[in-house]
Amino acid sequence: MNTNPEQDAWSRLRAHAAARLDGGFADRVLQSAHGCPAPAWDRLRAAAADCLRPGFPDRVLAAARERFEIPSYGSQLALSALTAAACLAAVILFHHHELAAADARNLAEWSQIVAAAQDLDAGAR
């Protein structure tokens, strides 16, 4: 006998629920969880294929080719040239920015050196 009243209540609840289930309930749940068997899918595919008119794949491919045409050699070349120009412009701008920053640093350092030299020159007089 189970001395834990909570465990005893759960056991009685499980037994009561199991008694109310229809026969084969577990099998039906497992079949639902695994999905349709392969022959059922084959029958569904065959029924769907019968609904399509002949030449359907060819019509779909032709419509896709019309909508998305292959870019010409000239347009690919133009896109490549624009990309290269954009990259070159970015490199030039970055280089100009770095050069200006280096000039500013150098000017600040030279200003400090000139100020120190002037202080030394004024102190020597």
Side-chain angles (χ1 to χ4, degrees), residues 89-104:
V91 167
I92 289 172
L93 286 173
F94 180 74
H95 178 68
H96 177 69
H97 175 65
E98 288 297 312
L99 195 58
D103 284 346

Side-chain angles (χ1 to χ4, degrees), residues 43-60:
R43 286 192 306 273
L44 283 171
R45 284 189 194 99
D50 289 341
C51 294
L52 297 175
R53 293 189 322 237
F56 174 76
D58 295 330
R59 289 193 309 275
V60 169

